Amino acid sequence: AVAANAAADPTLNQLHVTVYLVESFLLPLSLLGLAGLALERSPWLATIGAGFGLLGWLPWSALAAQDDLTLQMARMGGGAPFVALWDRFTTDGTMMTLTLIYMLCHLLAYVILAIALRRAQVVPTWAAWALALTSPLTVLAFPTHQHLLLYGVLGLWTAGSVPAAVAAWRLGRID
């Protein structure tokens, strides 16, 4: 990861870290909004999805900091000591626990909330599928380091969120 960051475009690297920072604040609000849309007609799934989502987003700041650390190491030239530190930091018990909590809870949340939204009939079937598919694609993208898949996740998340935002506006939940 340090070598990949060192070889990558510095502007794109910084943009990646900045997006992580913004996501730290916006995505938990998104989860609450999605759950709120489904709450009336699918209260159990909406509540469970929101609970998993919020629990899953708690470690996000640490994961964003991990990416920033990788970027800073690359800017300092990388090398064996940095690689050893990165390997040790990203695989220790603390970071592994935070990563697993994020992966399991956050990814389950979007599948559960997609089902809740569809059962509540507040978004079209395709939008629910778009949201639900973000989770398996994320699971595929990280171990394979296929960043194009992450762009696909972002596209699906956006596509599925637009009908949810329209539904929230239509129901008078957004003024």
Side-chain angles (χ1 to χ4, degrees):
V2 175
N5 267 282
D9 181 313
T11 305
L12 287 177
N13 272 341
Q14 187 59 57
L15 179 63
H16 174 83
V17 172
T18 302
V19 167
Y20 262 32
L21 178 67
V22 171
E23 285 177 341
S24 296
F25 297 99
L26 294 181
L27 291 177
L29 295 174
S30 161
L31 282 163
L32 291 175
L34 294 174
L37 276 175
L39 194 58
E40 189 175 311
R41 292 187 181 165
S42 191
W44 281 104
L45 286 175
T47 302
I48 291 167
F52 273 128
L54 292 176
L55 185 61
W57 277 110
L58 287 175
W60 189 252
S61 295
L63 300 176
Q66 175 182 319
D67 271 21
D68 189 38
L69 174 66
T70 307
L71 176 61
Q72 299 310 320
M73 289 175 166
R75 285 180 175 165
M76 294 179 70
F82 282 130
V83 171
L85 175 61
W86 190 88
D87 285 342
R88 188 176 211 170
F89 178 73
T90 59
T91 60
D92 79 341
T94 301
M95 286 308 295
M96 288 301 290
T97 300
L98 291 170
T99 301
L100 287 174
I101 290 170
Y102 160 73
M103 285 175 37
L104 295 174
C105 295
H106 160 76
L107 298 175
L108 275 174
Y110 274 98
V111 172
I112 293 168
L113 287 172
I115 294 167
L117 289 165
R118 188 61 219 133
R119 288 182 90 189
Q121 298 179 343
V122 291
V123 298
T125 302
W126 68 264
W129 272 105
L131 289 171
L133 286 173
T134 62
S135 294
L137 287 177
T138 299
V139 169
L140 259 168
F142 278 102
T144 62
H145 303 289
Q146 296 297 316
H147 292 285
L148 285 177
L149 278 176
L150 292 175
Y151 295 128
V153 167
L154 180 61
L156 286 171
W157 180 79
T158 302
S161 295
V162 168
V166 169
W169 179 74
R170 223 182 34 238
L171 294 170
R173 297 188 182 158
I174 298 176
D175 290 327

